[in-house]
């Protein structure tokens, strides 16, 4: 496939001088339209053969446009901190907000390609990585990110010539590293793996653009024009207010399941625990939990605990029984409410990626990313297409956590409608519990049935083998607390017995 | 001093039951006033003797108040990531935003006290740490943070009894670690060091409160009441709109210097570099810079480069010449503009702490924390007392960077008023440079003299031995670029020759 980028097309200095100012002017205008519109972020992947002009193009884009609204990120070997987390986190953490441009020099393609070229990992693992990338990029596109993937190519002969030229001049010799020559030895293999990767990941939403890197003038004008076209098209669409995701919505609407099993209705809400048994069991499971997280094997793991539940189901009380067993240095409780403006300018899962625990640590989410398919669905804060695709996005997210050795335990604390009313009345009458009752609570209560459907769908569609839901009957708070602590201990115990998957 | 907290005061279960609901109700009301007012953050330090009820109090506060607006953080040994940065960064990173409460379980006091008890480090180093803490807490207080420092005390006899009690019961044995007994061996020494530390850091703005931890009821009511009083007082002040910092302002006004030397006027603006020399020098210094940051010794360092300068002084062009010599994996350019809402809810330096480079990395600030004493001073975005104290705060900040092995290099690119006018006119006439010229630029230009004073003051008051300013005559852009690259290389070269200070 790379033959198309070996045309040897050249642009004369005169032609370049004639065309460059106009391109530059248009790019700058487009960048400012983007900034003022602030409707979507732009991610530019700069990839390809060493010496094909990747670095030069990054510098050129920064020179042509206003660099204060462009962020540039290069990726080397992961840092100690990055190694604590799923591999994709380092890319999530540098995504530009709406209105801005992020240039990624090295990307989620680097590791799969390099590992394949070096013969590390199986073909099956490589295919899985490619599939993961397709899903990730699909998510970005659906979240509105304009993704421009540029591949800078050089023929083998041109690459050799380029490296030699740089090395011959004592002033530019430093630009060639030993690594560049080592990589050159694998040129043919790199070319084959890259071709397969590009073919498999060139989707309508995020196609690859091949650029012949042999002539700087040609290369620069081509890259600039590609960016200009992509920006212009998206901005025109956005300002015409044409619903860009109409297709996605229609496709998803058909995929709606008939009906999820009524897991809420199947719970035994009469489960009770007497006070004495509760006290005894509480000490028992708190002690066990404490030992488990101090187990050296937990140092290679992390724990993410998710609490969802109806209003007044007792999440706060459970969280305190859990933290009561933990060392404050080891856990963080993350209450999830409305996103900040930094968070709003990003794909919706971004704000959860930034809260993931380090190895050996515990993150307790009091409400979570499941708000997307609960409150946001019921209150229509997002379109049906958005919460419909969220199930898959959540599964992908939790799959990455699990693959990284994180134990994901999810609890839904369920109470009956009558029990909720009783608790609301109690809260009204106890002054220091007043704050817990807001007009929102009464409003949510009127949506009880809509929430029931949403909860049943959620459990049906996001209970994976690695991260199953545990529904807890919480009409009796003592019973609920013990179920949570015991389940947590059992899941942790089972997890640390086997080594992490990766 | 701890004798005052060994009264053995006890509160009966009846009295506790009678007083607790009212305290709880008032605390909750105060928390909601704080949240709605959102004028300041609350930081509670929970420190003291093991077994004196620190953890219980943290849990109790979370139970009494709405835990969704409280963050709790424990601090153990620094993580790999934390070790990359100045020790204070981990505390900066968990400061609560305005309107919220942050409970720190372990704090900036832990390391100095523990190291002193174990006899690590010199007495002089300990005294320096104490002085640093005083300055840090003064900064927090002046930034409006309500800092409540609680010290939970137990006599030696009470601590032994407490540990024995916990250990005797098989259900609570897990709450006692071997570490607890090891620490108990050093009780007397710990007590002496703690007393000295508390005396030295009990300031009017941030006094220590001693709490006798031997009786849970007494302890809980005391801690709760202390928080309630502190909150109530600050909220009353804030809502009465009494200028809380009047004293600070008066004190600072007297400290204003007579006049800073006119460093801007002393520059030779005629400095020029011909094109051929420039090209040659550019390759030379870019090559040298590239080698320096790839030097293994740089792996133990980090580089922070600050660019300030008048509008149109050529910062962008210099930054590109610098990044042109660097691997994109090694640097980040941080353009500094208006803060986000997350940043606005924090002490002003917070947003720069979050951008610090890892070891072996380069952070290039295109404008910086010096905006506080330049644009914010001239445009009156902050009060004179605020920018006046900023000089000291900046020096403290950069001192911490330097102490951590970070090389801080600061450039002010200076042009004459006539040269600026020429460049403004050029920008107006070149369409792709239009964007660089905004009404702000013309407005700033009318404030030329006010900026001159601010710049001269800044250089006079923040040029430290570790982080001196380099003023660069930038009427000739080529000259300026070479001066910057050369200075950077020389500073880096000198720095990596000697080992990091800590």
């Amino acid at each position: 496939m790379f033959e198309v980028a070996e045309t040897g097309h050249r642009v004369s200095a005169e032609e370049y001088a004639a065309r460059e100012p106009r391109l530059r002017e248009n790019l700058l205008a487009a960048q400012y339209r983007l900034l003022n519109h602030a409707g979507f972020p732009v991610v530019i992947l700069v990839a390809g053969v060493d010496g094909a002009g990747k670095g030069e193009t990054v510098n050129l884009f920064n020179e042509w446009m206003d660099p204060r609204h462009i962020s540039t990120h290069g990726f080397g070997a992961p840092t100690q901190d990055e190694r604590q987390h799923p591999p994709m986190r380092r890319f999530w953490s540098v995504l530009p907000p709406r209105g801005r441009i992020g240039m990624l020099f090295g990307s989620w393609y680097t590791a799969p390609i390099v590992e394949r070229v070096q013969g590390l990992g199986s073909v099956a693992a490589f295919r899985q990585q490619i599939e993961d990338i397709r899903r990730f990029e699909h998510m970005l596109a659906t979240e509105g990110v304009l993704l421009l993937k540029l591949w800078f190519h050089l023929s083998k002969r041109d690459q050799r010539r380029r490296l030699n030229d740089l090395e011959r001049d004592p002033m530019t010799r430093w630009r060639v590293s030993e690594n560049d020559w080592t990589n050159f030895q694998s040129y043919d293999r790199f070319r084959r793996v890259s071709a397969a990767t590009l073919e498999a990941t060139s989707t309508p939403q995020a196609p690859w653009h091949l650029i012949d890197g042999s002539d700087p003038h040609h290369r620069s004008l081509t890259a600039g024009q590609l960016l200009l076209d992509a920006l212009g098209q998206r901005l025109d669409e956005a300002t015409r207010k044409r619903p860009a995701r109409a297709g996605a919505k229609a496709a998803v609407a058909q995929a709606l399941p008939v009906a999820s099993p009524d897991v809420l209705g199947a719970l035994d809400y009469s489960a009770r625990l007497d006070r004495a048994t509760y006290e005894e069991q509480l000490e028992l499971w708190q002690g066990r939990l404490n030992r488990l997280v101090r187990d050296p094997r937990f140092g290679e793991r992390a724990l993410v605990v998710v609490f969802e539940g109806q209003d007044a189901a007792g999440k706060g009380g459970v969280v305190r029984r859990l933290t009561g067993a933990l060392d404050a240095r080891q856990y963080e409780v993350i209450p999830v409410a409305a996103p900040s403006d930094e968070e709003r300018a990003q794909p919706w899962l971004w704000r959860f990626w930034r809260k993931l625990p380090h190895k050996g640590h515990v993150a307790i989410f009091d409400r979570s990313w499941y708000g997307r398919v609960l409150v946001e669905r019921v209150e229509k804060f997002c379109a049906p297409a958005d919460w419909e695709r969220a199930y898959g996005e959540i599964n992908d997210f939790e799959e990455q956590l699990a693959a990284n050795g994180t134990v994901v335990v999810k609890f839904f604390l369920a109470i009956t409608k009558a029990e909720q009313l009783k608790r609301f009345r109690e809260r009204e009458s106890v002054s220091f519990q007043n704050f817990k009752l807001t007009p929102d609570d009464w409003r949510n209560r009127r949506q009880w049935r809509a929430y029931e459907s949403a909860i049943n769908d959620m459990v049906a569609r996001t209970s994976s083998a690695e991260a199953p839901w545990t529904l807890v009957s919480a009409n009796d708070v003592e019973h609920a607390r013990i179920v949570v602590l015991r389940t947590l201990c059992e899941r942790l115990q089972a997890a640390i017995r086997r080594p992490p998957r990766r």
Side-chain angles (χ1 to χ4, degrees), chain A residues 14 38 46 79 120 191-192 199 227 239 242 249 253 264 273 275 290 301 310 318 328 345 348 385 420 433 495:
Chain A
E14 294 71 36
V46 178
T79 64
L120 309 167
R191 182 177 171 128
R192 276 197 306 278
E199 272 163 19
L227 175 57
T239 41
R242 208 179 64 182
K249 270 186 203 174
L264 279 182
L273 215 58
R275 193 74 204 178
N290 184 274
R301 301 297 202 139
Q310 290 107 339
V318 176
W348 76 274
Q420 189 187 51
Q433 295 209 325

Side-chain angles (χ1 to χ4, degrees), chain A residues 231-253:
Chain A
L231 262 177
Q233 196 188 335
R234 263 307 285 285
L235 284 164
D236 288 347
E237 279 175 18
T239 41
R240 276 202 309 270
K241 294 204 193 298
R242 208 179 64 182
R245 295 185 231 153
K249 270 186 203 174
V252 159

Side-chain angles (χ1 to χ4, degrees), chain A residues 93-112:
Chain A
S93 74
V94 299
L95 289 180
R98 295 179 210 283
R100 306 239 165 186
I101 298 172
M103 283 196 280
L104 307 195
F105 197 22
S107 68
W108 41 89
Y109 286 98
T110 314

